Amino acid sequence: MNVTFYPTLDYDDIWAGAYWDNWNGSMAYPRNYFEWLWQDNMDLNFEYWPTQLVRTAYDGTVTFDGKTEYVLSGQIDFGGFVGAYGEESIWLPKYYTDANPTAKIPEILASDTTIRAELVAGSRDGTTNYNELYNTSSSFDTTNEDRPIIWGSSPSYWMSLYANDLKENTNLNMSFVTTGGEGSLKTLIADLYQQRVAFLSNIYTIDDNFGVVDNVTTGDLQNFEKVAFSRNADQSPYDPLFLLKQAQYPIGPIMKAANYRLEAKFPEAYQYYINFNIGTRQLNQIVSNYQQTNTSLANTERWLEAACQWMKSADSDATRTWNNTAW
């Protein structure tokens, strides 16, 4: 299948203002994901998060309703679930929860003096004193050596705003400190993970942090467990406890959509789109492959190489995913 990438082949350029109405608040992001299909600029998109389909402000006000505007109106072909889930939360490394199963319980995190001391020491006493490194970060809290830190990435993320409110409303008595971006947070997490210390981070999957190789011999990737906040029963940003900033983030099925003209124009591509399905664990493996590719290559080439490596791997789960008549 001969494909082109829209709006640009240059992955490094994808967030340039030219593609998103110069980020002027017009909701070009995420609207253009749908508009490009409707305007016949693009044929396929295999990654929509629920928060892109229906966009809300932090107070719950709907700012963009792609479901009504594009899906229910028939302006795009909505393919539904792609097979992977997006999950945001506050996480602990799995090696720590395996050794301390109750550490996932918010009430324990707030009161257990041993666990809290280990969390403080984890960020402060290793090869890098991250409390000191980020002592000028003040978008939410500042680093405070008297209480544990939940590490976040960008202070502008909706995920970060919610994490800060969640730790306040569940009385964790912790600091929420952002590093300024996903890259710097990834570096911090990889360092602390290798040292096998206790730490908390506000991250999501599918994401780089779940694709970092932990054990070169086995190929095992970093793994994390969510702090067990109250369940989001509706798995929605409108869940009553979520609106009170007291519940777990909703789990979001990743979705796909197509240009409604595609079925008639290119039925083989449409059939591939309809049947395409891949799980979260396999996507994180491709992310891991990408992180290990030659950085001198262009980003798009690196992603193609990562997918190629995944298809060539001896992992039976990977083979079962792609080696079928639909693919």
Side-chain angles (χ1 to χ4, degrees):
M1 191 183 298
N2 184 20
V3 302
T4 56
F5 293 89
Y6 190 87
T8 174
L9 180 63
D10 185 357
Y11 186 84
D12 289 324
D13 194 42
I14 187 60
W15 300 117
Y19 308 126
W20 309 102
D21 210 5
N22 291 310
W23 299 100
N24 64 3
S26 67
M27 299 309 297
Y29 173 86
R31 178 186 299 280
N32 282 357
Y33 283 141
F34 303 88
E35 186 68 14
W36 290 332
L37 294 171
W38 166 235
Q39 293 298 332
D40 204 18
N41 300 125
M42 187 167 71
D43 289 309
L44 293 165
N45 192 310
F46 288 100
E47 186 188 349
Y48 290 111
W49 290 57
T51 50
Q52 294 168 330
L53 181 62
V54 178
R55 194 77 169 170
T56 61
Y58 190 57
D59 64 2
T61 304
V62 175
T63 56
F64 167 70
D65 187 353
K67 180 179 179 181
T68 299
E69 189 173 343
Y70 291 94
V71 178
L72 297 180
S73 68
Q75 291 187 355
I76 66 169
D77 184 305
F78 192 69
F81 185 42
V82 82
Y85 290 94
E87 297 184 67
E88 302 164 289
S89 193
I90 296 172
W91 310 72
L92 285 156
K94 190 173 186 302
Y95 58 76
Y96 190 75
T97 59
D98 285 347
N100 304 275
T102 61
K104 292 184 287 187
I105 302 170
E107 292 80 6
I108 299 296
L109 284 173
S111 61
D112 189 298
T113 55
T114 299
I115 289 174
R116 291 176 65 84
E118 289 175 347
L119 287 166
V120 170
S123 296
R124 184 192 63 198
D125 296 342
T127 53
T128 299
N129 182 341
Y130 287 104
N131 291 28
E132 184 177 287
L133 182 63
Y134 291 107
N135 64 5
T136 60
S137 177
S138 58
S139 297
F140 297 98
D141 300 314
T142 57
T143 56
N144 184 329
E145 304 216 3
D146 293 331
R147 62 180 189 169
I149 293 172
I150 301 167
W151 293 103
S153 55
S154 172
S156 65
Y157 284 178
W158 190 95
M159 178 177 73
S160 298
L161 297 172
Y162 188 79
N164 185 62
D165 282 346
L166 185 59
K167 62 95 176 172
E168 290 293 329
N169 293 336
T170 53
N171 299 311
L172 289 180
N173 187 25
M174 294 182 180
S175 298
F176 182 67
V177 179
T178 52
T179 64
E182 294 189 33
S184 53
L185 179 61
K186 176 190 166 188
T187 299
L188 178 152
I189 288 173
D191 181 26
L192 298 183
Y193 201 101
Q194 283 298 307
Q195 296 179 60
R196 290 297 191 270
V197 296
F199 67 95
L200 288 154
S201 58
N202 180 219
I203 55 177
Y204 61 93
T205 181
I206 309 153
D207 177 57
D208 286 353
N209 289 294
F210 286 82
V212 173
V213 174
D214 173 46
N215 187 311
V216 176
T217 303
T218 64
D220 290 343
L221 306 181
Q222 290 181 164
N223 202 359
F224 305 87
E225 293 285 344
K226 294 178 181 178
V227 175
F229 297 108
S230 295
R231 180 171 174 263
N232 187 316
D234 291 341
Q235 296 301 333
S236 155
Y238 304 108
D239 177 88
L241 274 181
F242 189 79
L243 290 172
L244 293 173
K245 314 296 192 286
Q246 296 175 3
Q248 190 65 264
Y249 295 78
I251 297 172
I254 307 302
M255 296 168 281
K256 57 188 175 182
N259 184 328
Y260 75 89
R261 308 165 186 85
L262 184 65
E263 184 174 13
K265 183 170 62 175
F266 198 161
E268 295 92 340
Y270 185 80
Q271 195 64 32
Y272 171 79
Y273 150 74
I274 287 297
N275 290 289
F276 181 86
N277 186 278
I278 186 169
T280 306
R281 195 163 51 84
Q282 295 304 316
L283 277 176
N284 279 329
Q285 185 59 60
I286 296 173
V287 171
S288 179
N289 292 348
Y290 166 82
Q291 293 184 65
Q292 298 173 70
T293 56
N294 188 339
T295 56
S296 67
L297 297 174
N299 252 319
T300 302
E301 292 180 71
R302 293 179 66 191
W303 280 116
L304 292 172
E305 176 63 23
C308 185
Q309 290 177 11
W310 173 73
M311 295 184 75
K312 289 179 177 179
S313 77
D315 183 354
S316 59
D317 289 336
T319 304
R320 275 195 296 270
T321 300
W322 67 260
N323 190 20
N324 59 70
T325 55
W327 282 48

